Amino acid sequence: MSRIFVTGGSRGLGRGIVKAALNAGHDVAFTYLQQRAAADELVAWARTNTPERRCLTYALDVGDPAAVERVGDEVLEALDGVDGVVCNAGIVDNQLAVQMTDEAWDRVLRTNLTGSFYVARHFLMAFLGSGGGRLLFMGSIAQGGLSGQANYAASKAGLVGLAKTLAKEYGPKGITANVVVPGFFETDMTRESMAESHKQFWRQFCPLERMGEVRELAEVVLFLLSEQASFVNGQEIGVTGGLDWAR
Ligand SMILES: NC(=O)c1ccc[n+]([C@@H]2O[C@H](COP(=O)([O-])OP(=O)(O)OC[C@H]3O[C@@H](n4cnc5c(N)ncnc54)[C@H](OP(=O)(O)O)[C@@H]3O)[C@@H](O)[C@H]2O)c1
């Protein structure tokens, strides 16, 4: 049994990771930004389905460093330490580069990249004190470049540099840092940002000819957080159905 912290656990992939972690016997703290009702519903689900596990939720904007420190401390106290952190919270704001506003650039970088750094920095301090831990960042196949997503692609590529650096700085202290790279999954993010024709296009290019199911990502995330993944460090692990390229 481990203690796991997930940012952006109220919906989508994060929610699936929270549920899978609880089902696998872990205690979980997760955050939401605005969707309090969705977060409360997940806590209620845990109370019914995994009553022996702790499931705690916190409001947090990962782009606010003071809030990250405060909530991070609260989580560490409530769970009496944390073993694995999933920097999952992320947003899109798609625009062609020539039309991209400063606001769209800043907002996406601030949440996806800077916010993940703030969270990782806070828990690294705890991991150094406890003798180890797992950091997992949520990348994207967009990190290789994707039209209309200069901000998002840059944020996800930045996470690769961040994870690989942390893997080197803190590997000697028993801390691993990796990036999980999802392909396309049906969540609010893809529902809201991708036209059906666009999804159909990518389904055709995916060797498995479908989008992923959230549980398929969550299982890999749990493995990467586990003791069995103790020698996986500084890696990008694709969960893409074989779709490793996007235009
Ligand atoms: N879905 C895919 O196919 C796909 C593919 C590749 C990568 N990803 C990555 O996977 C992660 C999750 O994506 P998703 O599809 O599950 O997205 P989603 O359904 O839109 O959920 C996003 C989650 O992030 C939270 N969040 C948003 N902004 C935040 C902030 N500033 N601070 C803290 N939390 C914040 C949201 O909270 P509220 O519920 O309160 O709004 C929500 O829990 C993202 O990093 C995304 O880039 C997704």
Side-chain angles (χ1 to χ4, degrees):
M1 191 266 286
S2 298
R3 298 151 297 180
I4 294 171
F5 178 59
V6 182
T7 63
S10 43
R11 288 185 288 132
L13 300 183
R15 185 183 187 83
I17 293 165
V18 170
K19 280 189 170 183
L22 290 163
N23 278 329
H26 306 299
D27 290 333
V28 181
F30 71 91
T31 71
Y32 62 94
L33 179 64
Q34 287 174 321
Q35 306 280 331
R36 166 114 200 228
D40 286 345
E41 192 211 304
L42 183 49
V43 171
W45 178 91
R47 226 172 265 136
T48 305
N49 293 281
T50 57
E52 68 292 352
R53 298 273 58 94
R54 283 181 292 177
C55 178
L56 310 169
T57 190
Y58 299 82
L60 175 66
D61 178 353
V62 292
D64 176 346
V68 169
E69 299 292 301
R70 179 177 44 77
V71 170
D73 282 343
E74 285 176 25
V75 169
L76 285 163
E77 190 174 336
L79 293 184
D80 196 23
V82 162
D83 306 293
V85 171
V86 186
C87 294
N88 165 76
I91 57 171
V92 287
D93 192 341
N94 298 344
Q95 295 166 21
L96 291 173
V98 291
Q99 292 159 345
M100 188 165 293
T101 61
D102 296 353
E103 200 272 334
W105 176 268
D106 288 341
R107 207 166 68 86
V108 170
L109 268 290
R110 175 179 174 274
T111 299
N112 298 7
L113 180 57
T114 310
S116 295
F117 169 68
Y118 291 152
V119 171
R121 181 176 61 185
H122 189 79
F123 283 92
L124 272 169
M125 292 303 292
F127 290 167
L128 287 170
S130 64
R134 302 247 183 285
L135 284 171
L136 195 56
F137 298 93
M138 200 60 75
S140 164
I141 52 175
Q143 69 202 34
L146 191 54
S147 301
Q149 294 198 323
N151 50 1
Y152 184 76
S155 73
K156 296 299 185 180
L159 288 177
V160 175
L162 174 61
K164 287 179 185 277
T165 299
L166 300 181
K168 289 174 181 167
E169 276 185 18
Y170 300 102
K173 303 292 183 192
I175 298 166
T176 63
N178 292 290
V179 181
V180 66
V181 183
F184 289 110
F185 289 79
E186 190 77 50
T187 66
D188 289 346
M189 179 179 279
T190 46
R191 264 188 291 275
E192 287 159 14
S193 70
M194 289 174 79
E196 187 48 43
S197 56
H198 199 182
K199 282 191 220 166
Q200 188 56 33
F201 179 77
W202 290 118
R203 269 192 217 108
Q204 277 171 17
F205 274 92
C206 176
L208 292 186
E209 297 181 336
R210 62 177 176 86
M211 294 175 84
E213 292 176 21
V214 173
R215 63 168 181 81
E216 294 175 302
L217 182 84
E219 289 302 326
V220 177
V221 166
L222 288 190
F223 166 72
L224 292 169
L225 293 174
S226 73
E227 179 50 33
Q228 285 87 334
S230 49
F231 208 54
V232 183
N233 191 27
Q235 302 302 306
E236 299 166 60
I237 298 98
V239 188
T240 65
L243 178 70
D244 295 329
W245 169 92
R247 175 159 182 256

